Amino acid sequence: MIEDLEKKLKAPFPVENLHWRIGQRNKEKTRAEMLVYIDARDVMDRLDEVCGLNWQDDYKEVNGRIVCTITIDGISKSDGAGDTNIEGDKGGISDAFKRAGVKWGIGRYLYDAGKYNTWIDIVNEKGEPIPDWNVLDFGSNKGKLDKVARMLSGLE
């Protein structure tokens, strides 16, 4: 029973559910390492799909950070996060929830993206760095990142 639950929680997500964001950049700001993630709603959907109504989440603040605890069948696992630059408190709550989900194995395989080269060029046709908000369409790098997503999901 526990092994079956674990296997279902750890199952890869459809590639179309995976999202990318900028991680670190090179000194010249012309290349960036892309980081893959899932949305908090994906974690909720996975918990609903696998556990039905038999899960709950709880939040508390510890030293200015949000700690989320996810409990399934009386077993609790927790993790925390601070506020984010983009959505402040809401982003911190969402990140804490996703991180607690990782403790259950949900999306943990995405951390293996570091095994692959996810560095992309982030310059326009003039060779100038592209602002963050414009990078997310990935331009000519979309195929490369899609391939990494398929490899992470075991499809290649």
Side-chain angles (χ1 to χ4, degrees):
M1 167 87 175
I2 297 292
E3 294 83 20
D4 189 44
L5 175 70
E6 181 181 27
K7 182 178 178 183
K8 289 177 182 177
L9 289 172
K10 288 183 175 182
F13 286 88
V15 171
E16 57 271 12
N17 288 43
L18 305 183
H19 308 284
W20 295 89
R21 69 173 180 83
I22 294 175
Q24 63 182 329
R25 297 172 185 252
N26 66 351
K27 279 192 301 188
E28 298 80 18
K29 308 282 189 225
T30 57
R31 292 183 54 73
E33 181 181 31
M34 300 302 291
L35 305 175
V36 64
Y37 67 97
I38 53 175
D39 190 272
R41 284 170 293 284
D42 294 317
V43 177
M44 291 174 206
D45 289 345
R46 176 61 54 86
L47 287 164
D48 287 344
E49 172 189 319
V50 174
C51 304
L53 298 175
N54 198 25
W55 71 274
Q56 67 182 35
D57 55 340
D58 183 56
Y59 300 86
K60 62 183 170 185
E61 185 177 341
V62 177
N63 297 327
R65 296 182 153 282
I66 299 297
V67 175
C68 175
T69 300
I70 297 175
T71 303
I72 302 172
D73 287 333
I75 300 169
S76 299
K77 297 187 180 196
S78 304
D79 207 336
D83 291 350
T84 63
N85 293 333
I86 298 172
E87 296 183 89
D89 293 347
K90 181 177 176 273
I93 292 167
S94 179
D95 282 355
F97 178 71
K98 291 188 295 183
R99 291 173 65 90
V102 169
K103 295 279 183 93
W104 283 100
I106 301 170
R108 189 181 299 160
Y109 71 99
L110 298 175
Y111 287 96
D112 291 341
K115 296 177 183 176
Y116 306 99
N117 178 4
T118 61
W119 283 85
I120 64 169
D121 294 326
I122 54 169
V123 294
N124 62 21
E125 53 281 346
K126 297 178 185 175
E128 302 164 332
I130 300 171
D132 284 357
W133 57 267
N134 202 14
V135 174
L136 297 179
D137 67 6
F138 309 121
S140 62
N141 296 293
K142 183 166 178 19
K144 174 183 180 177
L145 295 176
D146 284 348
K147 182 174 181 164
V148 170
R150 288 190 304 275
M151 288 189 293
L152 287 168
S153 297
L155 300 173
E156 280 194 24

